[in-house]
Amino acid sequence: MCYSAQVVQMARKLSRQLGIRLDYSEVERLFFRRLDDPGVNISRGFEANFDEPANDQERRIKAAIDEHRLKVAAKLEQDLFSQKTRLVNAERSLREKETKKAREEVRIATAKIAALSTKLSGLRSLEPKSRGQSHFPPCICRRHHP
């Protein structure tokens, strides 16, 4: 990962301290690309740079972030519902007859429900996780990617 990808994590702070300027049009393209390609990962720490937008471009970026979070939340809620249904069906099956398959279904559904609930609450939290700041977005500098 190139240095410029690490620098954008604290864009405004570095801009004030060192006079570094972030290519906001490239950042905007990145966030809008993520709406179409869910494989694009951007850290919550980087997203936090746009929590309080100062201009129209930052407001568009913030809107893209919010739209992405809504899409992800809807998908997680759908998955959570299907796992809760799986759990109910497995528990019903266990009441009828104790089987290894039903016990496994209960175990798997319970674990997935816990994981999905954690992801959903993390998505809805306003604070970026400290672990979320440990990875950086893909390099968006013009020098390496014209």
Side-chain angles (χ1 to χ4, degrees):
M1 167 189 352
C2 76
Y3 177 71
S4 61
Q6 296 175 9
V7 168
V8 293
Q9 191 74 21
M10 301 180 298
R12 288 190 185 129
K13 180 180 175 185
L14 290 168
S15 178
R16 283 191 308 268
Q17 289 178 346
L18 306 173
I20 294 172
R21 291 184 38 103
L22 182 65
D23 185 355
Y24 282 96
S25 59
E26 193 66 29
V27 171
E28 186 176 5
R29 280 188 339 132
L30 176 68
F31 278 103
F32 278 98
R33 190 174 91 207
R34 181 173 68 168
L35 292 176
D36 297 326
D37 180 8
V40 175
N41 290 320
I42 301 172
S43 73
R44 292 288 299 263
F46 184 59
E47 288 178 355
N49 286 302
F50 306 100
D51 284 346
E52 297 172 9
N55 57 43
D56 287 339
Q57 195 168 35
E58 288 184 10
R59 280 187 275 284
R60 288 191 302 269
I61 293 169
K62 174 71 171 143
I65 292 168
D66 292 341
E67 184 177 342
H68 170 74
R69 288 183 184 168
L70 284 174
K71 280 183 174 181
V72 171
K75 172 80 170 97
L76 290 173
E77 287 169 351
Q78 182 181 15
D79 292 347
L80 187 61
F81 178 77
S82 67
Q83 291 304 319
K84 285 182 177 181
T85 303
R86 179 182 187 179
L87 179 61
V88 167
N89 291 337
E91 287 173 340
R92 184 180 319 122
S93 177
L94 272 177
R95 280 193 300 271
E96 292 172 8
K97 182 178 180 184
E98 181 90 16
T99 63
K100 183 176 179 179
K101 180 184 178 201
R103 284 194 311 267
E104 275 299 297
E105 287 291 313
V106 168
R107 182 189 65 77
I108 292 169
T110 303
K112 286 188 176 187
I113 288 170
L116 288 167
S117 297
T118 301
K119 283 183 183 180
L120 201 53
S121 65
L123 183 69
R124 291 180 175 151
S125 80
L126 300 175
E127 300 278 326
K129 294 181 251 177
S130 60
R131 137 177 160 254
Q133 294 182 13
S134 64
H135 71 279
F136 298 94
C139 178
I140 57 173
C141 66
R142 295 239 182 237
R143 183 171 18 130
H144 296 109
H145 305 281

